[in-house]
Amino acid sequence: MKDMRVHVVGAGIAGLAAATALARRGATVTVSEQANALEAVGAGIQISPNGAAVLAALGLESQAARLGNRLGAVEMRDGPSGRPVLRLDLDAAGYDHPYRAFHRADLVGMLAEAATGAGAQIRLGHTIGPESPIPDDCDVTIGADGIRSALRARMFPQGTAGADEPAFTGNVAWRATVPLESYPAPMFDGAADHARLFMGPGRHLVCYPLRARGLLNIVAVEERRAWQAEGWMYPDAPENLRRAFVGMGAEVRALLDPVEIVHAWGLFRHPVPDIWHRGTCVLIGDAVHPTLPFMAQGGNLALEDAWVLSETLAKAPDVETAWRHFTAQRLARVRRAVAAAGRNARIYHLSPAPLRRALHAAMGLAGRIAPQAPLRRFDWLYREDVTGGKG
């Protein structure tokens, strides 16, 4: 790939991972980012074993261990009562790679350092809009510019195959981070970091520590009839978040009491198109298959995309063949992950109390009879290693 010139649009997880992988294979890589600084919103992100395999293959395991803390389990609880429902033991699952929690800014910073270290050039404050011409000073262009991809809009205008037509899901989410010192020590003593999931009628809340920053990451979702905007940069009043979860138990209310800064965003469902490319341009990550956050797979699928794309470009005889092979390898898996995230929303938000209690009782019984069975349902997701064990 020494003679290949690559232009990556977007310096997020997908774009920076692709830039790193391609630059290490010898390509000349330029990354364009519209922001003037690589400052990710102050929020957490979960990197599951399938995403961690890519980080390891990129040579980032030691940095990942330093910046991300291992999550040993997911504790699922009934929100209104606080009763335990099911414990998913991630440590006992025996994955080849760890399940970690990162502050998004730390993960992006680590990938940016890896990309520049491999020889990629990152150009900040460089905007490519929907009407901008596709760059002609490169051999391939990779659109990794996120859920509102300008390159996708440029490649696939509304009304054409591949155009994005999102639909509001009826869910609105809040993100917040709170200093761990704001909570009594027993709540997060650090002996074993777990993700906690509280399920309630028409809403749920997930939280987990971000040890490198001394923060607790909180994501809360409520069903709602209408929402006008998509994105996660809209400040909201903490009182609105607390009011939405007033019917939950004491532990949830205690988690939300110290929240001072919160952002809200509407959750939209995006169909995953059959076509991801046009000419010398291809889309990856959220630019082509944004997923709902109920499986925490957005960043992981982006990392997988980046690795698979670099391999297909390196092996294919021409760009068109590379794009076809890339899409063929990714399409079914991505659609399966997107569908799984949608199903989780229904499980988390079951409203009639008798049905919710019955479901939770069944989940708990299944967990006691076969503790690893609930996690094995997702072996297809977490145990997949698109790098072929190169990490």
Side-chain angles (χ1 to χ4, degrees):
M1 300 184 70
K2 290 182 179 179
D3 295 328
M4 181 172 288
R5 298 167 300 169
V6 179
H7 185 189
V8 179
V9 181
I13 294 170
L16 292 171
T20 302
L22 290 165
R24 289 185 177 175
R25 290 179 179 272
T28 300
V29 182
T30 301
V31 182
S32 295
E33 168 57 46
Q34 66 177 353
N36 292 317
L38 294 181
E39 296 177 352
V41 172
I45 184 169
Q46 299 176 48
I47 298 299
S48 50
N50 51 304
V54 176
L55 294 180
L58 292 174
L60 300 175
E61 172 58 27
S62 61
Q63 296 96 311
R66 176 172 54 86
L67 294 171
N69 52 287
R70 190 177 188 121
L71 295 179
V74 177
E75 297 177 349
M76 304 176 70
R77 304 184 188 183
D78 177 71
S81 69
R83 288 192 301 267
V85 173
L86 180 65
R87 186 177 188 273
L88 303 176
D89 194 332
L90 301 171
D91 280 341
Y95 296 125
D96 290 337
H97 298 276
Y99 200 118
R100 290 193 175 106
F102 292 82
H103 192 284
R104 189 176 292 266
D106 291 339
L107 180 60
V108 168
M110 178 179 73
L111 289 169
E113 184 177 338
T116 55
Q121 178 186 5
I122 300 176
R123 298 189 296 180
L124 300 175
H126 188 85
T127 301
I128 293 182
E131 303 302 323
S132 302
I134 301 299
D136 59 5
D137 60 345
C138 56
D139 299 303
V140 298
T141 299
I142 300 171
D145 49 342
I147 198 167
R148 294 179 174 178
S149 173
L151 193 61
R152 177 171 179 162
R154 174 67 176 83
M155 291 167 60
F156 304 109
Q158 288 299 318
T160 66
D164 194 21
E165 298 179 359
F168 180 55
T169 64
N171 291 274
V172 172
W174 289 271
R175 281 189 185 271
T177 54
V178 181
L180 287 171
E181 62 187 20
S182 302
Y183 299 102
M187 289 187 71
F188 302 99
D189 59 11
D193 284 346
H194 304 320
R196 304 180 189 186
L197 166 62
F198 298 88
M199 303 173 288
R203 69 211 66 223
H204 78 277
L205 181 146
V206 177
C207 67
Y208 50 85
L210 304 172
R211 292 291 173 188
R213 298 272 181 137
L215 298 171
L216 179 72
N217 188 70
I218 297 174
V219 178
V221 178
E222 178 196 31
E223 292 180 4
R224 190 181 294 182
R225 289 186 178 180
W227 183 259
Q228 298 301 316
E230 183 177 19
W232 63 331
M233 292 290 289
Y234 303 99
D236 197 12
E239 291 74 17
N240 292 337
L241 169 58
R242 285 188 276 267
R243 189 180 304 114
F245 284 79
V246 70
M248 300 288 257
E251 185 172 359
V252 172
R253 296 196 302 272
L255 289 169
L256 296 178
D257 280 345
V259 172
E260 295 181 354
I261 299 174
V262 65
H263 289 79
W265 80 106
L267 299 180
F268 285 70
R269 183 174 288 106
H270 297 251
V272 180
D274 296 323
I275 302 170
W276 295 16
H277 61 90
R278 174 166 289 178
T280 59
C281 301
V282 67
L283 301 169
I284 65 173
D286 282 352
V288 68
H289 54 70
T291 180
L292 297 173
F294 307 127
M295 282 290 292
Q297 282 301 298
N300 295 287
L301 295 176
L303 288 168
E304 290 184 2
D305 280 358
W307 183 271
V308 175
L309 182 67
S310 70
E311 289 221 317
T312 54
L313 266 176
K315 295 177 180 178
D318 55 70
V319 170
E320 180 63 28
T321 302
W323 295 164
R324 290 202 308 270
H325 289 177
F326 170 65
T327 307
Q329 290 184 57
R330 300 298 297 153
L331 188 57
R333 176 169 172 79
V334 164
R335 283 180 169 164
R336 188 176 183 183
V338 169
R343 287 192 297 271
N344 273 357
R346 294 189 290 273
I347 294 172
Y348 297 166
H349 291 184
L350 196 61
S351 291
L355 287 178
R356 191 173 70 253
R357 286 194 293 268
L359 175 63
H360 290 180
M363 292 168 66
L365 178 62
R368 289 190 294 274
I369 293 174
Q372 285 303 310
L375 268 179
R376 281 199 294 270
R377 292 175 50 238
F378 298 105
D379 276 356
W380 64 270
L381 181 63
Y382 296 145
R383 294 190 189 279
E384 178 74 7
D385 182 352
V386 298
T387 75
K390 292 180 181 173

